[in-house]
């Protein structure tokens, strides 16, 4: 990975932005594909939705809150906005992240940027699950998607740990 250090460093030699890499492009394309799926589900569900749809569910999966079908489009818009902000923040994690600890070197910036990109993908997947559950509350598909999402969330840190140990 080539880094133009003059452009990427401030006068005090601290990195201020991340360069564009193949990894960032892959995550952005994956997120874009998932956003397209999110909007496809939202528009399809909106076109077939009744006047009132369930939007909140209890622990057993029973609907206990209802809204108009416009909420399907609002969920897609919020998911798109949040994931886009995560991807944008990955290019300047030192300025955008307000964590308890400081980012002191470039390796830490790479880890934070990767974390933000993975979170963008997981959040879009979560919003797809929400859309499907809102559009088909009694079907098995939402339950299966929820299991898949939980598996992705559990697998992400495991895959990260494997990737880090393989680099050593």
């Amino acid at each position: 990975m080539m880094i133009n250090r003059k452009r990427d460093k401030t006068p005090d030699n601290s990195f201020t932005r991340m360069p564009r890499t193949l990894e960032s492009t892959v995550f952005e394309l994956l997120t874009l594909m998932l956003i397209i799926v999110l909007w496809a589900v939202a528009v399809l569900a909106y076109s077939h939705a009744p006047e009132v749809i369930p939007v909140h569910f209890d622990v057993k999966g029973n609907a206990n809150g209802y809204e108009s079908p416009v909420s399907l489009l609002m969920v897609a818009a919020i998911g798109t906005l949040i994931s886009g902000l995560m991807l944008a923040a990955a290019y300047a994690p030192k300025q955008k992240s307000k964590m308890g600890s400081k980012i002191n070197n470039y390796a830490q910036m790479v880890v934070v940027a990767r974390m933000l990109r993975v979170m963008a993908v997981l959040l879009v997947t979560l919003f797809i699950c929400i859309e499907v559950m809102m559009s088909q509350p009694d079907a098995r598909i939402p339950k299966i998607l929820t299991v898949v999402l939980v598996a992705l969330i559990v697998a992400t840190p495991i895959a990260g740990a494997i990737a880090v140990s393989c680099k050593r």
Side-chain angles (χ1 to χ4, degrees):
M1 173 174 67
M2 295 295 296
I3 301 170
N4 184 348
R5 298 203 183 271
K6 290 181 182 176
R7 185 181 68 198
D8 294 334
K9 285 188 174 184
T10 59
D12 66 348
N13 288 337
S14 63
F15 287 95
T16 58
R17 72 175 198 79
M18 297 293 295
R20 184 165 200 77
T21 62
L22 177 63
E23 177 185 293
S24 63
T25 304
V26 168
F27 271 107
E28 289 164 7
L29 290 175
L30 179 61
T31 305
L32 178 64
M33 288 188 300
L34 288 171
I35 287 172
I36 291 169
V37 169
L38 173 67
W39 278 99
V41 169
V43 169
L44 186 65
Y46 180 79
S47 65
H48 294 95
E51 290 184 27
V52 176
I53 60 169
V55 294
H56 192 269
F57 302 88
D58 63 12
V59 176
K60 295 180 182 176
N62 302 319
N64 61 7
Y66 300 90
E67 288 286 331
S68 72
V70 175
S71 61
L72 290 165
L73 301 176
M74 288 175 34
V75 167
I78 292 168
T80 302
L81 179 69
I82 291 173
S83 61
L85 288 173
M86 289 260 182
L87 290 177
Y91 282 102
K94 197 166 187 177
Q95 286 79 26
K96 303 287 188 283
S97 60
K98 303 292 183 201
M99 298 186 298
S101 59
K102 287 190 170 196
I103 299 173
N104 296 320
N105 58 43
Y106 184 73
Q108 290 174 339
M109 280 183 60
V110 169
V111 170
V112 171
R114 186 174 295 138
M115 175 190 70
L116 289 167
R117 291 182 183 115
V118 168
M119 286 180 62
V121 169
L122 291 176
L123 281 171
V124 173
T125 308
L126 172 67
F127 278 97
I128 291 171
C129 291
I130 291 169
E131 287 283 345
V132 171
M133 187 168 283
M134 286 171 62
S135 64
Q136 301 177 355
D138 297 328
R140 279 190 148 149
I141 294 172
K143 293 173 182 150
I144 293 169
L145 282 176
T146 305
V147 169
V148 169
L149 178 66
V150 169
L152 277 172
I153 291 170
V154 169
T156 300
I158 294 170
I162 291 170
V164 168
S165 66
C166 288
K167 286 185 178 181
R168 288 184 185 169

